[in-house]
Amino acid sequence: MTTLHRAAGPDLAAADLYEILRLRSEVFVVEQDCVYADIDGRDLLPETQHLWLASDTEILAYLRVLAEPGGGRIGRVVTAKSARGQGLAAQLMAAALDGAVGEFVLDAQTYAQGLYARFGFVAEGAEYLEDGIPHITMRRPG
């Protein structure tokens, strides 16, 4: 059984933030072998929204929504290795976009384009490498 959680940056409990950062580091830095500055100063901003699905014992999937002029930017979409294939990222995307107004953009790892296309995101521009992983910008009109 998973529970959906949502919090603005300043409302994140320290324990939740710790588990979110642990999951992001575990997948993006360790598993994908990308050394980058994940802590970018935007997690605790009042306009940043964090959404995650958790079991009784751990955070299984997470994403954040950053405010941008005219809409938002979805990023840091991540699912724990043990929870993949259960549709958790899609559940988070649906929750993040429910009632959303304006244009949304994200930078997708190219293998995940199909997931984002299900929510109205369209690829734009050329594929590019970010930390050695193929990405593409995708936009969902407002």
Side-chain angles (χ1 to χ4, degrees):
M1 175 87 176
T2 60
T3 305
L4 175 66
H5 300 267
R6 181 187 305 254
D11 300 328
L12 273 174
D16 290 330
L17 179 58
Y18 178 88
E19 287 303 312
I20 287 165
L21 293 174
R22 183 200 54 74
L23 176 61
R24 287 176 6 190
S25 176
E26 184 178 282
V27 174
F28 297 135
V29 177
V30 177
E31 183 182 329
Q32 295 184 348
D33 195 24
C34 297
V35 178
Y36 76 106
D38 179 44
I39 300 173
D40 59 5
R42 299 184 79 178
D43 286 314
L44 297 179
L45 295 175
E47 62 272 12
T48 298
Q49 292 292 310
H50 301 269
L51 288 86
W52 66 96
L53 289 164
S55 68
D56 290 337
T57 58
E58 67 180 322
I59 293 178
L60 302 171
Y62 165 86
L63 66 72
R64 74 177 183 184
V65 181
L66 303 174
E68 295 208 339
R73 173 174 287 278
I74 294 176
R76 304 295 201 268
V77 181
V78 62
T79 302
K81 193 171 192 174
S82 63
R84 292 184 191 149
Q86 300 176 35
L88 300 181
Q91 288 180 45
L92 286 175
M93 288 294 296
L97 295 169
D98 184 38
V101 178
E103 180 178 81
F104 280 77
V105 67
L106 55 81
D107 296 312
Q109 293 186 10
T110 55
Y111 78 88
Q113 286 181 75
L115 166 67
Y116 302 121
R118 291 177 20 206
F119 294 95
F121 285 85
V122 177
E124 68 177 28
E127 185 178 295
Y128 61 93
L129 288 179
E130 183 174 317
D131 298 314
I133 298 172
H135 282 71
I136 191 149
T137 298
M138 298 185 78
R139 191 170 305 276
R140 178 180 182 252

